[in-house]
Amino acid sequence: MSADLQHFFSSSNAFGSVLIFAFALFVAYWVSNFPAKLIIKIAQKVAVRSDNESDDDRLIQLRQTETYLSVAVAGIRAIFVAITAYITWQFISPTTSGGVAAIGASAFFIVFAGQTVGILLRDMTSGITMIIENWFHIGDFIKIEPFIDVSGVVERLTLRSTKIRSLNGEVIWIHNQQIHGVHVTPKGLRTMAVDIFVKDRERGEAEVKKVISVIPTGPMMLVKPLRITSTEQWAESLWRITVTGQTPPGREWLIETYFVDALKDIDDGVREKSDRVIVRRPIARFADPIADSRFKRAVRIKRDK
C-alpha cells in the first residue's frame, strides 16, 4: 500500500505531493507548539524573577537564561519542521525514481534557497553571533544601527529576528541581519547631573529642594526624586551644587530642559543682580560613573612640571 501511494504521488499527481508536503509541515509546526508553550511558561517565570531581582550579577544571569529560552523555542520548532520535511520527502520520493526526484529536488532547492533559505541563513548567522557575544539580552533597552529611530526594550530574541517595544508602545520586528550594531543602555537608565552655581549655599540648597519636589517621578519619568549629591565652594561667594537623577532613555529632557528651566524661574522678577540666587546658567551633563572612569583612562592631560 505504501509503495502504491508513493508511486501515485511521484508519477501522476505532483500537486498532491506538494499538498502532502505542506500539510506535513503544518502539522509539525502545530505539534511543536506544545513543547514551545512549556518553554515559554518557564521563560515567563524567569522574567518575573529577573524583574524583582536587585542583585545586578544575578539579574544579568536571569536575563541571559530568558534569552536562551526564547531562542530554544525557535530551535525546537525548526527541528520539528526539519525532521518532518525530511521524512515526508522520503515518503513522496520513491527510490525507483531517484534521478527524477534528485533533479526536481535540486531545482526546487536552488529556487527556494536563493529566495528563502539564503535570507534565513544570514539572519541565523547574525543571531548566533549576537547571542554568543552577548550583545544584549531580553529586557535590555537598545538602539539599533543603522536606523535612526529604532529603539526600545527587547521583548523577544530568536535566531532569525528581534522584537522590541518602543517607548510609545509600538512593537518593532527586525531581521537580525539588518542589525549592524546596538547601543545598550546599562540597567535601562540614563544618569544625568546638573551643576548649579549659587552665591548663598543655604538659600541655594533650599530653593533647589523646592524645585526638586515638583519634578514628576515614576517608571517612565524620573525613576527616583532628584537629589543633591554634593556641594562645594568654588570661591569666596560662589558654591556649586550638584544634583543627580536617573531617567529612562528618551526622557532626559526632564532633567536637562524641564528641571533646568524650573531652576531659572527661581530668579524671575528679580531685577537686581545682587539679589539673584543662581549666578550662572545651570549645566546639565551625563554622569554615568562607569563611563566617567573609562574616560579618565582615555583622556590624558599633560601635567605642568
Side-chain angles (χ1 to χ4, degrees):
M1 183 65 181
S2 177
D4 293 338
L5 286 173
Q6 288 180 337
H7 179 71
F8 173 76
F9 286 122
S10 61
S11 60
S12 60
N13 196 348
F15 182 71
S17 300
V18 174
L19 289 179
I20 288 290
F21 191 77
F23 179 74
L25 295 183
F26 172 78
V27 172
Y29 186 83
W30 180 77
V31 172
S32 69
N33 283 330
F34 293 100
K37 288 181 180 179
L38 176 61
I39 296 177
I40 290 173
K41 288 183 179 180
I42 297 174
Q44 289 173 343
K45 292 182 179 180
V46 173
V48 172
R49 290 186 60 183
S50 66
D51 290 342
N52 297 324
E53 183 61 53
S54 58
D55 183 72
D56 291 342
D57 293 335
R58 181 60 178 164
L59 174 63
I60 293 175
Q61 292 177 356
L62 290 172
R63 286 192 172 178
Q64 285 178 338
T65 301
E66 188 180 353
T67 302
Y68 296 149
L69 288 173
S70 177
V71 174
V73 171
I76 285 178
R77 286 174 174 166
I79 291 172
F80 269 78
V81 171
I83 293 175
T84 303
Y86 176 77
I87 295 173
T88 305
W89 182 261
Q90 292 295 318
F91 176 77
I92 65 178
S93 300
T95 56
T96 55
S97 58
V100 177
I103 295 174
S106 299
F108 175 80
F109 180 78
I110 292 173
V111 175
F112 183 74
Q115 299 300 320
T116 304
V117 177
I119 297 175
L120 291 176
L121 288 177
R122 287 193 292 271
D123 284 333
M124 292 175 65
T125 301
S126 299
I128 291 171
T129 301
M130 291 189 298
I131 292 170
I132 292 176
E133 296 182 353
N134 287 322
W135 281 23
F136 54 85
H137 305 108
I138 291 177
D140 288 345
F141 186 94
I142 64 172
K143 179 180 178 183
I144 295 178
E145 295 287 353
F147 308 101
I148 298 176
D149 298 325
V150 179
S151 62
V153 178
V154 180
E155 288 194 343
R156 184 180 177 188
L157 172 63
T158 68
L159 295 179
R160 189 183 65 84
S161 61
T162 300
K163 175 186 177 184
I164 65 176
R165 187 176 296 273
S166 65
L167 289 176
N168 61 10
E170 292 180 343
V171 176
I172 304 170
W173 288 91
I174 185 167
H175 290 283
N176 288 335
Q177 64 176 302
Q178 302 296 330
I179 301 177
H180 296 177
V182 292
H183 303 252
V184 183
T185 302
K187 300 181 181 180
L189 297 172
R190 295 272 172 83
T191 302
M192 298 194 68
V194 178
D195 295 320
I196 308 158
F197 299 92
V198 299
K199 64 178 183 178
D200 187 312
R201 175 177 179 173
E202 293 183 0
R203 185 184 173 193
E205 288 183 346
E207 293 293 341
V208 169
K209 288 178 180 178
K210 288 181 183 178
V211 176
I212 289 176
S213 65
V214 298
I215 305 297
T217 60
M220 298 300 291
M221 306 296 281
L222 287 177
V223 180
K224 295 179 181 179
L226 295 170
R227 61 190 182 93
I228 297 175
T229 53
S230 68
T231 303
E232 57 180 320
Q233 187 171 9
W234 274 39
E236 184 177 351
S237 58
L238 182 64
W239 296 79
R240 186 182 76 167
I241 301 173
T242 301
V243 176
T244 305
Q246 292 181 317
T247 66
R251 295 289 191 269
E252 296 90 347
W253 57 269
L254 280 168
I255 297 176
E256 61 186 1
T257 301
Y258 187 82
F259 177 62
V260 170
D261 287 345
L263 290 173
K264 291 188 290 185
D265 290 342
I266 292 175
D267 291 323
D268 272 1
V270 179
R271 295 184 179 181
E272 296 295 331
K273 207 169 185 180
S274 58
D275 294 333
R276 294 179 182 177
V277 178
I278 299 176
V279 297
R280 298 281 192 278
R281 176 183 172 84
I283 301 174
R285 55 185 172 84
F286 290 106
D288 182 79
I290 298 178
D292 287 347
S293 65
R294 297 295 187 271
F295 271 92
K296 285 180 180 178
R297 296 188 62 190
V299 179
R300 297 177 175 85
I301 301 176
K302 187 177 180 181
R303 299 178 181 274
D304 294 333
K305 294 182 180 181

